[in-house]
Amino acid sequence: MADNFDYDVLVIGSGPGGYVAAIRAAQLGLKTACAEGRETLGGTCLNVGCIPSKAMLHASELFAEASSGALAKFGIDIAGASLNLDQMHAEKAKAVKELTGGIEYLFKKNKVEWLKGYASFESANSVKVGDRSVTAKNIVIATGSSVTALPGVSVDNDAHVIVDSTGALTLPKVPEHLVVIGGGVIGLELGSVWLRLGAKVTVVEYLDQILPGMDEEIRTESAKLFKKQGFTIRTGTKVTGATTANGKATLTVEPAKGGASETIEADVVLVAIGRRPNVDGLALDKAGLLLNARGQIDTDHDFRTAAPGIWAIGDVIAGPMLAHKAEDEGVACAENIASHTGIVNHAVIPSVVYTMPEIAGVGLTEEAARALGEIKVGKFPFMANSRAKTNRDTDGFVKVIADAKSDRVLGVWIISSLAGTLIAEACIAMEFGATSEDIAYTSHAHPTHAE
Ligand code: FAD
Ligand code: NAI
């Protein structure tokens, strides 16, 4: 261990970036601690993000199938299916507890010390966690992100009227009308949960299309499918303020380009306009660190910051705010600290929206690829896929974007009930530099969606 330091590695934050970095560092023989201020480990993802949202998406999908009569065409008549929301929340909480407890077990097994409390830099090698001052040769900042606030719209999760994603995961009853501000991933996933459970859902999106960053055709098709499911989607609209009275909210909206304002009444408003890096309270100035213009910590390819011995990973640095991106960076960062060669291929990080159907993509959009050079695009609808047709599950398509000359795959976009699973094949293909022909010549079992 490094002389004169309490630890070889101190990780700040125990989300998918931090807990993975800490465990990998310990496995590589480094004396490691992880500071976490929450009462449970696992960060946003396990406590109030990926895991509880997927639990609610799964349960609400089962409820919608059972209660909507959708199964009748398969000869399954379910009469009187009813919602027990408390039980749904309880099962979600159980999954969260098992998984956050699992990280605590892994910390003990790998001898990672959990320093309970929020950390604040005293110098580049010294950090205060609660009342305790500790030193480390290497410090990894993995403090994640929090909801971006919308001026004029104050979130109060306890009042259950204007909420953020954390509040929307624990609503005690199904709202009659849920208005989601932001047609991004959170808005559409959590909007889907409450729509399936019986709410009328309106999505107010500032831009002309939902799901920014995704392939244009995917955005257009998704919007069509969401509208068919019952979502009201108001694009090109901005929220200018919100008031609450008698347990309801009144939103003032106007066209994004300017124009006459109007009001929308809602039982619950979900603010989901993006997330921003968690850096408040870290006293980064004492470590000699500055933020970039987007409020992120800059790093090099190895996850080193500008301050020697300080590293950063996950939502607090640039790139997509995704759990698997943070995890991959956690492993690579720990390996670099241990003088191995940790690499993350940021060109091949999939993103999945866990709605029904799911929406997934990896690599370049058609628009971005076209801007870089000549491409060819192949598209196949699930309407023509045997398994999808058999399952009466034909919404969506697969789109493969390849370089026109080399045929190398540049991007893959999928809308399908199984898109999140199918995209893994595209990731492997791209990671190995496959051509579209390589994928086509690979035998796929029949009948599968992957075919
Ligand atoms: P975080 O998970 O945010 O963890 C950071 C931790 O650091 C927190 O526990 C925090 O308490 C702690 N911390 C902060 N400051 C300090 C400090 N000073 N001292 C000590 N501890 C500190 N991503 C996906 O890939 N798939 C999904 O399905 C998905 N679903 C999501 C659903 C929702 C509702 C939300 C909000 C996010 C979702 N995400 C999803 C995004 C994902 O949760 C994040 O990308 C991921 O958690 C980032 O990991 P991280 O380790 O960088 O930070
Ligand atoms: P987002 O960036 O996906 O979407 C925010 C949306 O709000 C955008 O469409 C934006 O144009 C819109 N917007 C911004 N300001 C607005 C305003 N004033 N009025 C109306 N619309 C406005 O952010 P979101 O949904 O909050 O999610 C945050 C992050 O969490 C995402 O970056 C995502 O990576 C991550 N996440 C990932 C999930 C997954 O992988 N399945 C699930 C949930 C979250």
Side-chain angles (χ1 to χ4, degrees), residues 12-18 35-38 40 42-45 47-51 53-54 117-120 142-145 165 169 186 189-190 275 278 280-282 313-316 320-324 326 352 354:
I12 306 179
S14 73
E36 173 56 63
R38 255 180 228 278
T40 46
T44 304
C45 179
N47 289 282
V48 292
C50 327
I51 298 307
S53 62
K54 265 77 261 178
Y118 286 95
S120 176
T143 48
S145 64
S165 54
L169 283 165
I186 291 182
E189 286 190 359
L190 296 183
R275 295 175 63 82
N278 285 332
D280 295 347
L282 274 176
I313 55 173
D315 282 8
V316 82
M321 290 182 163
L322 295 172
H324 42 284
V352 180
Y354 296 87

Side-chain angles (χ1 to χ4, degrees), residues 194-416:
W194 295 106
L195 183 90
R196 293 168 188 171
L197 298 181
K200 170 178 162 17
V201 178
T202 303
V203 175
V204 180
E205 165 60 47
Y206 185 84
L207 301 174
D208 289 338
Q209 286 251 49
I210 57 168
L211 291 173
M214 296 222 157
D215 183 273
E216 285 296 315
E217 216 173 339
I218 290 279
R219 295 171 80 183
T220 309
E221 182 64 17
S222 310
K224 228 189 274 169
L225 292 170
F226 289 129
K227 283 179 192 160
K228 210 166 93 187
Q229 289 172 11
F231 274 94
T232 301
I233 300 182
R234 297 191 52 174
T235 49
T237 306
K238 70 176 172 201
V239 174
T240 53
T243 55
T244 57
N246 306 321
K248 291 197 185 263
T250 304
L251 287 181
T252 312
V253 301
E254 62 181 48
K257 292 182 180 126
S261 65
E262 58 175 305
T263 57
I264 308 178
E265 307 288 321
D267 303 279
V268 174
V269 174
L270 162 59
V271 182
I273 59 161
R275 295 175 63 82
R276 58 174 188 86
N278 285 332
V279 287
D280 295 347
L282 274 176
L284 290 175
D285 52 322
K286 294 191 182 154
L289 275 175
L290 296 172
L291 299 176
N292 67 22
R294 306 191 62 189
Q296 301 157 328
I297 298 173
D298 280 329
T299 62
D300 66 11
H301 199 61
D302 294 332
F303 309 104
R304 281 189 182 86
T305 69
I310 303 184
W311 312 68
I313 55 173
D315 282 8
V316 82
I317 71 170
M321 290 182 163
L322 295 172
H324 42 284
K325 178 247 186 198
E327 288 174 0
D328 294 354
E329 291 178 348
V331 171
C333 180
E335 291 180 348
N336 289 330
I337 290 172
S339 303
H340 295 248
T341 308
I343 295 170
V344 176
N345 180 4
H346 284 101
V348 185
I349 297 197
S351 65
V352 180
V353 187
Y354 296 87
T355 47
M356 186 56 73
E358 295 178 344
I359 303 157
V362 61
L364 299 178
T365 62
E366 182 178 340
E367 299 70 45
R370 213 175 275 292
L372 292 177
E374 223 184 303
I375 57 166
K376 48 186 185 175
V377 178
K379 239 179 91 179
F380 193 85
F382 279 98
M383 186 59 91
N385 171 284
S386 319
R387 187 60 180 279
K389 267 192 104 64
T390 312
N391 292 2
R392 324 311 282 158
D393 171 31
T394 50
D395 281 341
F397 57 85
V398 178
K399 177 171 175 177
V400 178
I401 301 152
D403 182 88
K405 287 200 190 77
S406 67
D407 189 35
R408 199 171 162 144
V409 178
L410 302 174
V412 177
W413 295 88
I414 308 175
I415 300 183
S416 157

Side-chain angles (χ1 to χ4, degrees), residues 133-145:
S133 197
V134 292
T135 58
K137 186 174 183 196
N138 295 280
I139 298 178
V140 181
I141 304 172
T143 48
S145 64

